[in-house]
Amino acid sequence: MSTKDNTAEIDSVCDMLNNMSTADNDDSISRCANCGKEGSDVTNTCNKCMSVKYCNAACKKKHRHKHKKECERRVAELHDEKLFKDPPSQDEDCPICFLRLPHLGSGRVYMSCCGKMICRGCRYVVTKRETDVGLCPLCPFCRSPPPMSDAEMIKRYEKRIDIQNDARASYNMGCDFARGEIGLPQNHAKALKYWHQAAELGDSKSYYNIAMAYYFGRGMEIDRKKAKYYYELAAIGGDADSRHNLGVFEERDGNYHRALKHYMIAVETGDNDSLKIIQQYYMDGRATKEDYAKALRSYQDYLDEIRSDQRDEAAAARDDYKYYESAF
C-alpha cells in the first residue's frame, strides 16, 4: 500500500472518530419537552417515566397535562419489563447433596444452629442412621444438637437475627408469631415486623406472607391493592406462589394473556398448580399447543433437578416430607 493510500486511510479513520465524537456530544444535549430549549442544563427529568427532561420546574409543571398519557403508558411499560423479567431463583442448592432445593416447603428444613437450608432427604437419612443406633440426631451440616426447648429455639433465632442478619430466621420468627407457635403469643404486628425485616434482607417469601396478610386482613384491614403490590415484589424476587397468585389476579380481571405469562414463569420454579391451569387454558383455547408443551418441559426440567433417591426415601417414609407434586 502506498504512502498516499495510508494517509487517505488515516484521514478516513480520523473523520469517523470525529463523527462518533460529535454524535456522542449530540446525545448528551437534552431538549426541554415543553419549551424546546437545548443545553446541558436541561436536567429536570420526569421522575415517573424518566423519559423526558425539562429546563426547570415551571416547564415541567406546564407540560404535565400534555405528558400525562404518554407518561402513564411508559410507566406501565417499565413496570411490566421489571415484573415479567426472568426472576432470580429462590431455590438454592442443598449444602450436603448439592441438588436444587425443592419449591415445596415440606421438602426442605431450616437448621437454626447453622442457618443452613437442607433438603428433607439429607436430613432424613442422617437422622435415621443415628436414631437406629440409639444416638441423638445431630445437624447433618454442622453436627450441632437440636434445640431442647422452645425457649432455646427462640434464642437461636434471635442470635442469628441479631448477629448474622439471617433472613430465614427473621422469616421463621414472623411465621411463629403469626401462628402463635414455639411458645410465642399470636401477634400479627410482630409477624409483619419480622417479615419486613426478612424481605429487606432478600427473602421474597416474606413479601408473599405480607401480601397474604393484606389479602385476608390478618392484623390489618383487607387491602387487595397492597396485597397485589407485595405479591409483585415477591414474584420479582423469585417466589413462585406469588407469581401464581398474580396470575389469578389477572385472570379474575379477564386479562388471560397476562395471567398466562405469570403461570408460565411460575411453572419454571416448580409450581404445579400453574401447570394445571395452563393445561386448562390450552383446552379452552387461551393457550397454544406450544405454550402447553413449553410448560410441560419446564416442569420436567425442574423435577429432573430436584429428584434423588434420598428424597424419594424420605417422602415414602412420611407424607409431610413430600418434595414435589406429580404433573396431574
Side-chain angles (χ1 to χ4, degrees), residues 9-272:
E9 184 176 359
I10 291 171
D11 289 341
S12 176
V13 171
C14 288
D15 289 340
M16 181 179 68
L17 292 174
N18 287 332
N19 290 335
M20 290 173 62
S21 178
T22 301
D24 288 341
N25 289 335
D26 289 340
D27 289 341
S28 67
I29 297 175
S30 299
R31 174 179 294 179
C32 176
N34 180 58
C35 67
K37 176 185 175 181
E38 295 183 350
S40 58
D41 59 337
V42 181
T43 58
N44 197 323
T45 306
C46 174
N47 56 7
K48 290 184 178 180
C49 69
M50 307 297 289
S51 61
V52 295
K53 293 184 178 181
Y54 302 94
C55 54
N56 53 48
C59 273
K60 184 177 183 179
K61 184 176 181 180
K62 188 174 182 180
H63 190 251
R64 185 176 299 160
H65 70 284
K66 294 182 180 179
H67 177 56
K68 182 179 180 181
K69 187 173 182 180
E70 176 63 22
C71 181
E72 290 176 348
R73 183 192 65 80
R74 182 55 183 155
V75 167
E77 286 179 352
L78 292 172
H79 176 265
D80 280 359
E81 286 175 10
K82 186 175 183 180
L83 181 61
F84 290 110
K85 181 175 67 175
D86 287 340
S89 173
Q90 288 291 295
D91 298 330
E92 68 269 27
D93 294 341
C94 172
I96 297 177
C97 66
F98 302 111
L99 295 177
R100 180 179 178 179
L101 285 170
H103 161 64
L104 282 183
S106 55
R108 56 172 74 191
V109 58
Y110 173 82
M111 308 306 298
S112 61
C113 44
C114 54
K116 297 296 183 182
M117 190 72 75
I118 296 171
C119 77
R120 283 291 188 184
C122 289
R123 175 68 185 277
Y124 173 78
V125 169
V126 172
T127 298
K128 185 175 185 300
R129 182 177 64 233
E130 292 173 342
T131 54
D132 283 349
V133 294
L135 297 176
C136 174
L138 304 179
C139 170
F141 186 82
C142 72
R143 308 305 292 153
S144 295
M148 302 308 294
S149 65
D150 289 341
E152 186 179 351
M153 175 68 82
I154 293 171
K155 187 175 181 179
R156 285 187 176 188
Y157 282 153
E158 290 175 339
K159 181 178 180 181
R160 293 206 61 81
I161 292 169
D162 295 338
I163 299 177
Q164 304 293 333
N165 283 328
D166 189 324
R168 182 50 53 162
S170 293
Y171 169 83
N172 286 349
M173 281 286 281
C175 293
D176 290 329
F177 268 116
R179 295 189 291 255
E181 294 182 345
I182 64 168
L184 296 172
Q186 188 175 51
N187 188 317
H188 291 292
K190 286 190 175 180
L192 285 170
K193 172 190 171 185
Y194 279 106
W195 287 334
H196 275 290
Q197 182 177 343
E200 291 170 2
L201 292 170
D203 187 88
S204 66
K205 181 57 71 177
S206 292
Y207 279 134
Y208 168 81
N209 282 8
I210 296 169
M212 294 287 280
Y214 277 109
Y215 190 87
F216 292 105
R218 296 169 181 166
M220 75 274 290
E221 292 185 5
I222 292 175
D223 190 329
R224 300 293 165 80
K225 186 175 181 180
K226 283 188 177 180
K228 186 176 181 181
Y229 169 75
Y230 283 107
Y231 279 139
E232 287 182 348
L233 289 180
I236 290 170
D239 182 65
D241 293 325
S242 295
R243 182 68 67 177
H244 172 85
N245 286 356
L246 288 174
V248 174
F249 266 92
E250 296 293 353
E251 185 175 326
R252 288 174 179 172
D253 291 338
N255 301 322
Y256 295 104
H257 177 68
R258 292 176 64 84
L260 178 61
K261 291 174 71 174
H262 283 303
Y263 293 140
M264 293 292 288
I265 296 173
V267 168
E268 293 177 5
T269 46
D271 188 74
N272 178 265

